[in-house]
């Protein structure tokens, strides 16, 4: 399994001090968080994409390119790439360029986003959100796999004999996750293409996550990509840790109560009971995260949200230390126990290049036999 962190990049006042970091401070903090993730042995750093205050990550490829130059092993991803409001031609070129710069350490997560006003800012109609996601990804999928594309659709100007440059590294496009928390159409889209499905379940109860993941798995098998157990699944998570659980609750409560998304809503205790949020000791985080397998099956990627709601950078880096030193090693060991042999490993560029070479060799052998 792959373990990592994702950031939403919010610029939020620290409720315990009243201080709000500058955008510059927050952007630099995100870089420091990525570097700390690599330092402690995590596998993935992912950033969201937002175009509205109080969020700063409006240009994920710029951020990830900078991080790529300062890391060696970390897989660099998005936790949302807005497939609805971005031009698929620009996505194809931006992420292929990033893939070359990072020597293949790149994948991305397609999503529709949850901020309605973004659509008209980019000349799109939110009422066409699902249709945009379907059409734009169909074009992106071709742009990465066909050297010359002629295409016509509903939402952008036609393409005539167009070649996206640069071409994907080693002829293998970045791996794509389709992220959704509530749209079965997106789970269907992921299954149709044989791509990964990421259910960012940080706000949802287990039964909803189970339903969405099972839908994706069954449709993945329906389209002939493998068994339901071979589908590629990722999950979100959200934690705040101290060695003593009471200290964690006491310290995190003001941040929870004033968070821009769920603040002033359910209590911390209610939210912890109903969602994957864990506020407590590293042992409690391990126990709750291992339980995800009970309703999602054996899966490939687990990302945690750690840096939001005004938490100071020093605190976030302490959280990453605990995650890397005390939580993830145990999770790796425990998730490996009893994992069926047919369940695939998490996707990497090297593994996908090798698989493509094997497929090409098999196809060549079939041609020789047929002739």
């Amino acid at each position: 399994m792959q373990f990592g962190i994702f950031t939403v990049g919010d610029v939020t006042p620290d409720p315990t001090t009243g201080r709000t970091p500058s955008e510059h401070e927050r952007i630099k903090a995100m870089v420091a968080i990525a570097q700390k993730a690599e330092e402690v042995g995590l596998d993935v750093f992912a950033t969201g994409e937002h175009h509205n205050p109080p969020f700063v990550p409006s240009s994920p490829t710029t951020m990830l390119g900078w991080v790529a130059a300062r890391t060696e092993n970390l897989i660099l991803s998005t936790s949302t790439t807005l497939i609805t409001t971005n031009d698929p031609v620009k996505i194809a070129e931006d992420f292929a360029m990033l893939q070359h710069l990072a020597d293949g350490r790149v994948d991305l997560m397609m999503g529709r986003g949850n901020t309605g006003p973004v659509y008209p800012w980019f000349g799109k109609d939110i009422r066409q959100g699902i249709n945009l996601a379907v059409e734009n990804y169909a074009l992106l999928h071709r742009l990465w796999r066909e050297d010359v594309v002629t295409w016509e659709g509903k939402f952008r100007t036609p393409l005539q004999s167009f070649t996206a440059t640069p071409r994907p590294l080693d002829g293998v496009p970045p791996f794509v996750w389709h992220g959704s928390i509530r749209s079965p159409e997106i789970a269907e889209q992921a299954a149709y293409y044989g791509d990964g499905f990421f259910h960012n379940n940080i706000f949802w109860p287990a039964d909803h996550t189970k339903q969405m993941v099972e839908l994706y798995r069954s449709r993945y098998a329906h389209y002939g990509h493998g068994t339901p157990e071979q589908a590629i699944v990722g999950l979100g998570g959200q934690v705040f840790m101290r060695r003593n659980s009471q200290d964690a609750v006491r310290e995190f409560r003001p941040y929870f109560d004033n968070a821009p998304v769920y603040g002033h809503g359910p209590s911390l205790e209610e939210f912890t009971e109903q969602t994957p949020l864990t506020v407590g000791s590293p042992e409690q985080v391990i126990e709750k995260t291992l339980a995800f397998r009970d309703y999602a099956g054996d899966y490939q990627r687990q990302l945690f949200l750690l840096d939001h709601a005004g938490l100071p950078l020093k605190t976030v880096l302490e959280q990453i230390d605990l995650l890397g030193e005390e939580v993830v090693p145990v999770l790796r060991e425990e998730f490996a126990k009893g994992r069926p042999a047919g369940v695939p490993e998490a996707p990497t560029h090297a593994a996908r290049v090798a698989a493509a070479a094997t497929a090409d060799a098999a196809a060549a052998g079939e041609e020789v036999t047929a002739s």
Side-chain angles (χ1 to χ4, degrees), residues 42-301:
L42 300 184
D43 304 304
V44 184
F45 170 79
T47 175
E49 178 186 347
H50 296 274
H51 299 276
N52 55 292
F55 304 98
V56 293
S58 59
S59 181
T61 51
T62 304
M63 166 68 72
L64 296 177
W66 182 265
V67 173
R70 286 154 179 77
T71 56
E72 296 181 358
N73 302 307
L74 205 60
I75 295 173
L76 308 171
S77 183
T78 54
S79 48
T80 305
T81 293
L82 297 176
I83 188 62
T84 47
T85 52
N86 282 305
D87 182 355
V89 172
K90 195 69 169 74
I91 294 176
E93 296 188 333
D94 282 354
F95 280 90
M97 176 67 77
L98 178 59
Q99 190 189 34
H100 282 273
L101 291 172
D103 296 323
R105 295 184 290 122
V106 173
D107 57 36
L108 67 163
M109 188 190 305
M110 301 298 175
R112 290 186 296 135
N114 56 12
T115 306
V118 171
Y119 284 78
W121 294 342
F122 289 88
K124 306 299 180 183
D125 184 345
I126 192 173
R127 294 170 295 183
Q128 296 292 334
I130 292 290
N131 294 330
L132 280 162
V134 171
E135 180 177 296
N136 283 351
Y137 185 65
L139 174 55
L140 175 61
H141 193 267
R142 289 186 59 191
L143 289 168
W144 274 336
R145 289 164 176 82
E146 301 175 27
D147 289 340
V148 181
V149 174
T150 296
W151 174 91
E152 185 172 351
K154 180 179 179 181
F155 298 109
R156 77 174 314 280
T157 54
L159 298 174
Q160 298 293 332
S161 301
F162 177 77
T163 299
T165 59
R167 305 305 297 147
L169 178 65
D170 301 317
V172 175
F175 185 78
V176 170
W177 303 82
H178 298 261
S180 179
I181 55 176
R182 60 186 177 272
S183 301
E185 298 93 340
I186 302 304
E188 177 79 14
Q189 183 181 41
Y192 176 81
Y193 288 101
D195 295 335
F197 179 63
F198 192 93
H199 187 69
N200 194 7
N201 55 327
I202 60 174
F203 301 122
W204 292 84
D207 58 349
H208 176 77
T209 300
K210 183 176 189 294
Q211 185 178 31
M212 290 290 286
V213 171
E214 286 184 347
L215 170 63
Y216 161 67
R217 288 188 183 279
S218 66
R219 299 302 289 172
Y220 181 96
H222 168 80
Y223 287 115
H225 300 298
T227 67
E229 294 75 24
Q230 291 174 319
I232 308 298
V233 174
L235 297 178
Q238 190 175 2
V239 300
F240 185 87
M241 296 173 283
R242 291 302 184 201
R243 299 191 186 282
N244 182 292
S245 60
Q246 289 81 12
D247 291 340
V249 171
R250 182 172 57 254
E251 185 176 348
F252 187 66
R253 188 180 299 280
Y255 296 96
F256 176 91
D257 290 344
N258 293 279
V261 176
Y262 46 58
H264 313 289
S267 70
L268 174 59
E269 286 74 18
E270 291 170 333
F271 201 84
T272 301
E273 180 182 357
Q274 297 170 14
T275 77
L277 173 65
T278 309
V279 181
S281 66
E283 292 76 19
Q284 288 172 307
V285 171
I286 291 167
E287 179 181 5
K288 190 162 187 177
T289 305
L290 288 173
F292 295 175
R293 183 165 57 177
D294 295 341
Y295 54 84
D298 288 282
Y299 61 109
Q300 283 72 28
R301 177 174 287 186

Side-chain angles (χ1 to χ4, degrees), residues 363-371:
E366 290 175 2
E367 289 178 5
V368 170
T369 301
S371 62

